[in-house]
């Protein structure tokens, strides 16, 4: 067993990703319109043949807003309410009914203006949530006093080291939103709130100072737990004192209580509030399942990579098999929550809730249902077989599919409210993903190289090293 | 020289496991091993073929899934596509979300029940079946190997004794 050295290969890869990503992001911002006139030009130059472009190009009256006979108060649609009996009061884009043309252009401008911001917000959230999911997994392993996963603790600790930078990236984007650099969170705009009774009724919760105060509380709690357990875990390496183990257990159990509350509220704040007219009660769980499965998948991918580099001689098929089982089980759990949320809203079809899925099904059809294939059907079929779960190649293949699928999941949560049907996978989106991927890889592998790769002081370490799932050869 | 059959009794599962490995190594056929509880690794030591029941279960699940789809499609879409509370009964896919709970449950139902029935059939278990137990103490705390004696009875016996057998009984074929 040798301790991991931060390889120049990984370093070069991550720096290359960061540079390519930064170029993509810069291009995204460069190509975004800076005023309404430019937005009109961009829309005019867009090919009307391609799926999502044309519903916007022509007569907006035939667009998706009016197709349903009822006005559902769809988030940013400033201009579609005219003439309807029940208007839910989303007049935030200005003059209602009259001045249609102007409203429509302003609306499209806002969407295009949001696009590069949303393109970095999605991967920033996604990678932050991976490391948060791993932190939750780590706390569960500690609190459950699991015997198999001790050999993976250092990898988990490495991944959670991205939590603080990841949260800082998210917070920076949120601060830019609050400073009106973009229009991602419409409730941050006092003009919108003044004309919108629904948001006005939520101002007690959705106001900027309280929003950032909450964010600081979550981040402090998570990072404190992460740093305390990391310090204790390192201390345990040279110390056979059982009291450290007990402390880790108590901190983890306490953290899980805090985590469940803070994670749920985080998902309302950072994700659900992007669409402040909509609400769902199981949203926090849904977001959690997504981050949990992508976190576990990341653990598996990094473990298999490090094992292939001969750093993890003590990790055997049974550990990979267990990670495969978690990937399988939590993928199904994610799909259960996805379906429960979708089906309950689809079934009852209450206008104020169903808009969320109408925009997704109409404008994001392929992505919205495609991600179910990636996140449920593919892992379900491939990882069902016990022999496949212990095969590195298959776990990696499924892992990459799951990671892409859950990136699309976050994309589906953010984009429809931010850019509507103006979405695409351009340089901005791909660059954003690569940029944060590069930072993630750099931070994680740097942290793994800082400590012995085996948490050797843990009382369960021998059990974990010799762990054998009895049914495997 | 006639082959004999032996019933060898052990009182510890670790000793049993070692003995089974030894017997398999000396190429003596084991008919059956009776234990009061599952002994991890016994099937591997006896070189038994892994079970295929999980594959059968998967197939049963697929059958249940198909049955549920055919049934719901016929009843709700083909036979009498009534408007019930505004649900779109025009095609299967349009009303699919409301069928998923039944599709799921029938898949699980078929997979679980047919798997259990397969297990009963394959292991020949049913009510009023005559118990095939050579020694009732194997349901309590003893372990029994039902084996051939091998070509040399006394050699086999002394080997078993050395391995910790508490009793060796010769039985008629």
């Amino acid at each position: 067993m040798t301790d991991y050295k931060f390889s120049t290969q990984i370093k070069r890869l991550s720096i290359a990703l960061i540079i390519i990503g930064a170029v993509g992001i810069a291009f995204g911002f460069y190509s975004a319109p800076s005023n309404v006139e430019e937005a009109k030009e961009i829309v005019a130059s867009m090919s009307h043949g391609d799926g999502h472009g044309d519903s916007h190009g022509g007569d907006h009256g035939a667009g998706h807003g009016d197709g349903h006979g009822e006005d559902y108060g769809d988030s940013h649609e400033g201009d579609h309410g005219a003439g309807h009996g029940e208007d839910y009061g989303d007049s935030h884009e200005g003059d209602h009914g009259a001045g249609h043309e102007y409203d429509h252009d302003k609306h499209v401008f806002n969407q295009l203006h949001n696009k590069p911001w949303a393109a970095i917000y999605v991967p920033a959230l996604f990678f932050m949530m991976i490391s948060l999911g791993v932190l939750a997994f780590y706390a569960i392993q500690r609190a459950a006093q699991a015997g198999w996963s001790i050999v993976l603790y250092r990898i988990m600790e490495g991944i959670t080291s991205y939590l603080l930078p990841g949260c800082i990236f998210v917070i920076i984007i949120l601060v830019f939103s609050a400073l009106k650099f973009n229009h991602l969170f419409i409730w941050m705009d006092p003009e919108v709130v003044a004309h919108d009774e629904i948001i006005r009724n939520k101002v007690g919760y959705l106001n900027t100072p309280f929003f950032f105060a909450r964010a600081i509380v979550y981040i402090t709690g998570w990072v404190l737990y992460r740093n305390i357990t990391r310090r204790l875990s390192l201390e345990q390496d040279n110390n056979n004192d059982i009291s450290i183990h007990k402390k880790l257990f108590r901190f983890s159990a306490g953290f899980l209580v805090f985590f469940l509350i803070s994670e749920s509220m985080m998902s309302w704040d950072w994700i659900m509030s992007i669409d402040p007219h909509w609400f769902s009660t199981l949203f926090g769980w849904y977001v959690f399942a997504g981050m949990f499965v992508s976190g576990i998948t990341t653990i598996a991918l990094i473990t298999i990579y490090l094992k292939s580099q001969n750093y993890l001689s003590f990790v055997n098929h049974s550990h990979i098999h267990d990670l495969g089982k978690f990937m399988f089980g939590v993928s199904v759990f994610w799909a259960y929550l996805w379906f429960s949320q979708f089906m309950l809203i689809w079934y009852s079809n209450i206008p104020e809730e169903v808009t969320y899925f109408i925009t997704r099904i109409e404008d994001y059809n392929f992505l919205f249902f495609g991600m179910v294939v990636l996140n449920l059907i593919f892992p379900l079929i491939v990882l069902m077989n016990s022999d496949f779960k212990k095969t590195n190649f298959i776990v990696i293949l499924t892992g990459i599919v799951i990671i892409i699928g859950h990136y699309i999941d976050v994309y589906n949560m953010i984009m429809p409210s931010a850019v509507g049907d103006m979405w695409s996978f351009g340089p901005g989106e791909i660059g954003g993903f690569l940029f944060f991927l590069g930072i993630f890889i750099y931070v994680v592998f740097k942290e793994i190289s800082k400590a012995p790769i085996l948490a050797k002081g843990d009382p369960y370490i021998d059990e974990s090293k010799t762990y054998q799932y009895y049914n495997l050869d | 020289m006639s082959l004999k059959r032996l019933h060898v009794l052990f009182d510890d599962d670790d000793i049993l496991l070692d003995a089974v490995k030894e017997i398999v190594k000396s190429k003596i056929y084991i008919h059956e091993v009776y234990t009061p509880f599952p002994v991890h690794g016994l099937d591997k030591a006896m070189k038994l073929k892994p079970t295929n029941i999980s594959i059968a279960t998967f197939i049963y699940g697929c059958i249940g899934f198909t049955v549920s789809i055919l049934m719901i499609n016929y009843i709700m879409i083909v036979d009498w596509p009534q408007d019930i509370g505004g649900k779109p009964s025009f095609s299967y896919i349009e009303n699919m979300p409301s069928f998923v709970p039944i599709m799921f449950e029938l898949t699980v139902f078929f997979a679980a029940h047919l798997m259990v029935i397969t297990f009963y059939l394959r292991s020949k278990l049913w009510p009023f079946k005559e118990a095939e137990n050579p020694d009732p103490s194997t349901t309590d705390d003893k372990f029994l190997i039902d084996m051939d004696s091998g070509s040399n009875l006394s050699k086999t016996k002394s080997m078993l004794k050395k391995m910790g057998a508490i009793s060796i009984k010769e039985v008629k074929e």
Side-chain angles (χ1 to χ4, degrees), chain A residues 117 128 139 228 236 259 299-300 404:
Chain A
W117 288 98
M128 185 282 291
I228 288 170
Q236 207 177 27
F259 171 78
I299 298 173
I404 294 172

Side-chain angles (χ1 to χ4, degrees), chain A residues 177-188:
Chain A
S177 292
L179 295 175
K180 309 279 178 327
F181 280 84
N182 58 53
H183 213 242
L184 283 179
F185 294 87
I186 54 166
W187 58 265
M188 285 177 175

Side-chain angles (χ1 to χ4, degrees), chain A residues 339 342-343 346-349 381 384 470-473, chain B residues 40 43-44 58 87-88 94-98 100-101:
Chain A
F339 182 71
F342 171 70
M343 197 265 255
W346 173 87
Y347 206 103
S348 58
N349 204 18
I381 295 194
M384 197 184 292
Y470 77 95
N471 221 1
L472 288 186
D473 296 316
Chain B
H40 278 188
D43 50 342
K44 296 239 165 75
F58 179 75
K87 286 274 161 285
E94 276 176 284
N95 210 359
M96 210 268 285
S98 52
V100 166

Side-chain angles (χ1 to χ4, degrees), chain A residues 298-430:
Chain A
T298 310
I299 298 173
L301 293 180
I302 294 180
T303 305
I304 293 173
Y305 168 74
L306 288 178
K307 189 166 167 56
S308 74
Q309 305 290 309
N310 291 323
Y311 288 110
L312 299 172
S313 53
F314 38 82
V315 170
N316 59 37
H317 284 321
S318 295
H319 296 108
I320 306 295
H321 188 268
D322 268 17
L323 287 170
K325 274 186 276 192
F326 267 106
M327 282 161 64
F328 175 81
V330 185
S331 284
V332 175
F333 178 62
W334 173 87
Y336 166 67
L337 293 178
W338 175 85
F339 182 71
S340 301
Q341 179 169 276
F342 171 70
M343 197 265 255
L344 285 185
I345 291 174
W346 173 87
Y347 206 103
S348 58
N349 204 18
I350 299 172
E352 71 231 43
E353 289 180 347
V354 86
T355 47
Y356 186 81
F357 288 112
I358 284 176
T359 48
R360 275 155 187 80
I361 289 173
E362 294 199 339
D363 299 335
Y364 291 74
N365 195 294
F366 179 69
L367 284 187
F368 185 65
F369 293 110
M371 84 178 170
V372 182
V373 176
L374 298 184
N375 291 340
L376 170 71
I377 298 177
F378 188 80
L380 181 81
I381 295 194
V382 173
L383 288 181
M384 197 184 292
N385 190 319
S386 194
D387 290 333
F388 285 3
K389 278 198 280 273
K390 66 172 186 184
T391 311
N392 290 347
F393 163 71
I394 288 174
V395 173
I396 287 194
L397 178 75
T398 323
I400 290 170
V401 169
I402 290 176
I403 293 284
I404 294 172
H406 282 281
Y407 169 76
I408 296 174
D409 184 22
V410 181
Y411 190 89
N412 259 317
M413 290 193 241
I414 302 293
M415 283 294 179
S417 313
V419 305
D421 56 1
M422 305 307 285
W423 66 276
S424 65
F425 277 105
E429 283 76 8
I430 295 165

